Amino acid sequence: MMDKFLFIMSNFLSCFAVTAIMFQFMNGRYKKSINNKYIYSLIQIVIIVCVVCINLMNISLFNLIAWFAVFGISAYFLYYEDMDKPLRRILECEALMFCMVVCESLGVFVLRWILQAMSIKKINAAMLSFLEVTFSALIIIFFYYMVISRLMKRSNIPYSKTQYVFYSIILGYSFINMLVIIEIFKQGQINYLCTINMGCIVVADLYLLYFVKMADEKSYYENQVKVLEQQANMQYEYYLEQTKKYDKTVQILHDVNKHIKTIEELYIAGQAQTAGEYMNEIGGLLKPLIPTQYTGNPILNILLTDKEMLMKDKGISVEIEIDNVSLDFIEPIDVTTIFGNLLDNAIEAAEKAEGNKCIYIKISSRHQMIVIRIENSCNVVRWKNNMPISKKGKNGGIGLLNVKSSIEKYDGNLILKQENQKFIAELFLNS
């Protein structure tokens, strides 16, 4: 009686693991056709019960057909995509189902090899069946989270090394537990508590790996929020600076009639030289308020004018070389994000650099691509994962992540490198 119960439970556990993984895959990759989440939970329960009943018939081919059919139908009716391609959606789910079938067979093969290597021959049939199911389920779970979910993910969320470390630790711990249980079964002992423990390992791993993945994604999105906050602050400070300039312009324009009258009186009095000097003085006051026309993009003109003044104030020599290129395709917010962050980083590095402090900016076109090159003096730069290590602490490096995010909108690429005492940022944007 207990052996029959174990057989039913092993079938239930296998169906539960496969169904949970398949729906996690579809939930992460596609959009739901029905807004009510409880309907999806109910459908999963119905699928598990139905497939368990089919499994108990012990007809392998019928069981396999049922799995492929139920997930093909689910992918077609329960999910959709913006550019809806139901056939592709079905084929992706069927491919994942095929991978899980292969992993299940591999699990059985590996388990039998382990048993043979450990010279274990006497194991209760029901417990051996449960052991095969749990061992295969573990391989399916880890294969999905460590391989499939990365290869077929919908979002651009990167997989961190910490996530893989956690996965590896959990995998090692789970298989060590399995080997301990196998050793207990070595002499043909019947231990139902160990059997229950195997089932708990599978369920715990399934949800523990899911929560590790969710925690990593949560951390990523929190970082993205910080990026957006930094961008908002940067734009706010920029517009505050523009407000100050506007106020200064208003003050000058308020007295413009007085200035004109003064200049006229000087000319009438025959003091042309003094009048000229007075005009030059007024021009000097107005010059910083008029952006240099570097490009046809007014936002970039203002930004470059501001940054050039800042560089000169900090004793940094600057050279700006811009070919006849159109930058109108770049959205204003991306102009501020890309050039603001890169130039701020360049100014900060050049200011701290030993010896000659200089910044070189060049914008040109190459094969229908806009090429932006920013060089600056710098000290030795430390690198990690092809990115410079920021010395700003926990939130350092967010600016470059923000730049990368803006560049991706234009199918672009960012190359960072150091040559001698120069740090070089080279961008390629598809115009």
Side-chain angles (χ1 to χ4, degrees), residues 107 110-111 114 134-140 142-143 167-182 201 205:
V110 172
L111 176 65
I114 292 173
T134 51
F135 202 85
S136 298
L138 283 179
I139 290 181
I140 290 172
F142 281 94
F143 179 75
Y167 285 174
S168 301
I169 291 172
I170 296 168
L171 176 64
Y173 177 79
S174 300
F175 278 109
I176 288 172
N177 270 275
M178 285 290 182
L179 292 175
V180 171
I181 293 170
I182 290 172
I201 290 172
D205 284 355

Side-chain angles (χ1 to χ4, degrees), residues 40-74:
Y40 286 83
S41 299
L42 180 61
I43 290 171
Q44 290 183 60
I45 293 171
V46 171
I47 289 174
I48 292 169
V49 172
C50 290
V51 178
V52 166
C53 293
I54 293 171
N55 278 357
L56 293 175
M57 296 170 62
N58 204 23
I59 304 175
S60 300
L61 182 60
F62 188 32
N63 176 39
L64 196 61
I65 292 172
W67 275 122
F68 281 99
V70 74
F71 288 127
I73 293 170
S74 297

